[in-house]
């Protein structure tokens, strides 16, 4: 049985627990994009999560109100718990837990998730291999340069100036990048760049 649990087809699981389904579905989509090697499961209540077996999940993203209602459980699992809060103000967050503000832009949420993954799984520690499409180096050196500037917030003209190339060349490079990777949003490009070590999360 133990060997079955450790089999290569078994992917780590994350849980998102919140009665607000808009929050749940939005965060679930971001997590699935940021960490495609994990299965993300959503729960509208602690009871539903408990019935699914908490030991099956490596991380819990949990609404602050639910954590407060089941504080003993989450204190015992503090290293796996990320508390979803409506505010980034430390004074309004629970002490002893890692808090995760959900009231911010998609780009900021992606950055926060990536920071969590880097802290807990530096260099892919305790995670299965990334899918082949994410492992492959399919961009040219110049495309990687352009990608790094895009995810750092540079506009096309600034990229052209920075790399001493024409504006139309920048546009061509950006089209090639999105065509090769199949990503259109800056958030998805950010995930790719960080996962490959092209850009430091603190530079974004």
């Amino acid at each position: 049985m133990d060997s079955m649990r450790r089999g290569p087809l078994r992917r780590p699981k994350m849980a998102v627990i919140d009665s607000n389904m808009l929050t749940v579905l939005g965060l679930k989509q971001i997590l699935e994009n940021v960490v495609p090697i994990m299965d993300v499961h959503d729960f509208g209540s602690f009871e539903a999560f408990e019935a699914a077996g908490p030991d099956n999940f490596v991380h819990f993203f949990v609404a602050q109100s639910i954590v407060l209602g089941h504080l003993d459980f989450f204190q015992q699992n503090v290293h796996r718990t990320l508390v979803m809060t409506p505010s980034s103000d430390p004074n309004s967050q629970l002490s002893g837990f890692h808090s995760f503000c959900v009231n911010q832009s998609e780009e900021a949420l992606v950055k926060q998730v990536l920071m969590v993954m880097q802290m807990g799984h530096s260099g892919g520690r305790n995670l299965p291999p990334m899918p082949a499409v994410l492992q492959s180096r399919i961009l040219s050196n110049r495309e990687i340069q352009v990608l790094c500037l895009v995810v750092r917030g540079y506009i096309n003209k600034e990229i052209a100036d920075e790399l001493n190339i024409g504006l139309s060349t920048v546009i061509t490079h950006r089209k090639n990048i999105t065509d090769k990777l199949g990503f259109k949003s800056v958030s998805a490009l950010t995930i790719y760049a960080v996962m490959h070590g092209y850009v430091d999360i603190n530079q974004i």
Side-chain angles (χ1 to χ4, degrees):
M1 288 291 291
D2 192 46
S3 61
M4 287 179 64
R5 284 198 297 272
R6 295 176 184 173
L9 296 180
R10 185 175 178 84
R11 303 201 306 171
K13 295 180 181 180
M14 284 187 183
V16 181
I17 313 161
D18 194 339
S19 59
N20 184 331
M21 289 311 293
L22 285 177
T23 299
V24 168
L25 295 176
L27 182 57
K28 181 180 179 182
Q29 183 176 13
I30 289 173
L31 288 170
E32 287 173 340
N33 287 333
V34 173
V35 200
I37 54 177
M38 286 197 177
D39 285 329
V40 184
H41 297 253
D42 56 270
F43 302 95
S45 67
F46 177 79
E47 290 72 23
F49 165 67
E50 192 174 37
D55 287 342
N56 292 320
F57 300 91
V58 296
H59 291 299
F60 323 136
F61 287 80
V62 195
Q64 187 162 264
S65 59
I66 291 178
V67 173
L68 286 169
H70 304 274
L71 194 57
D72 287 345
F73 171 84
F74 288 109
Q75 283 179 328
Q76 291 171 22
N77 293 277
V78 67
H79 296 300
R80 291 193 285 168
T81 302
L82 296 104
V83 184
M84 297 188 292
T85 67
S87 170
S88 58
D89 180 3
N91 294 322
S92 68
Q93 298 172 349
L94 299 177
S95 60
F97 288 94
H98 183 90
S99 293
F100 186 91
C101 178
V102 294
N103 287 336
Q104 53 186 326
S105 68
E106 181 183 357
E107 287 77 13
L109 283 170
V110 166
K111 181 177 179 180
Q112 251 195 303
V113 172
L114 286 170
M115 289 181 75
V116 168
M117 291 300 104
Q118 284 192 336
M119 282 190 300
H121 306 284
S122 178
R125 186 175 68 249
N126 301 325
L127 292 176
M130 294 291 286
V133 68
L134 292 180
Q135 292 184 40
S136 303
R137 188 186 185 284
I138 57 179
L139 301 181
S140 69
N141 288 344
R142 179 62 91 186
E143 287 166 348
I144 291 171
Q145 284 183 302
V146 171
L147 171 66
C148 291
L149 294 174
V150 167
V151 302
R152 288 171 60 189
Y154 284 59
I155 62 173
N156 287 346
K157 185 179 185 308
E158 292 171 332
I159 295 172
D161 293 342
E162 181 75 15
L163 300 179
N164 293 313
I165 57 179
L167 186 59
S168 61
T169 303
V170 173
I171 294 169
T172 298
H173 281 316
R174 291 191 67 159
K175 183 180 185 304
N176 289 341
I177 291 167
T178 56
D179 286 348
K180 286 181 178 181
L181 300 180
F183 304 145
K184 293 184 179 179
S185 73
V186 173
S187 296
L189 293 174
T190 300
I191 294 163
Y192 180 87
V194 171
M195 289 294 192
H196 282 74
Y198 295 147
V199 120
D200 188 305
I201 190 68
N202 296 308
Q203 294 179 320
I204 300 171

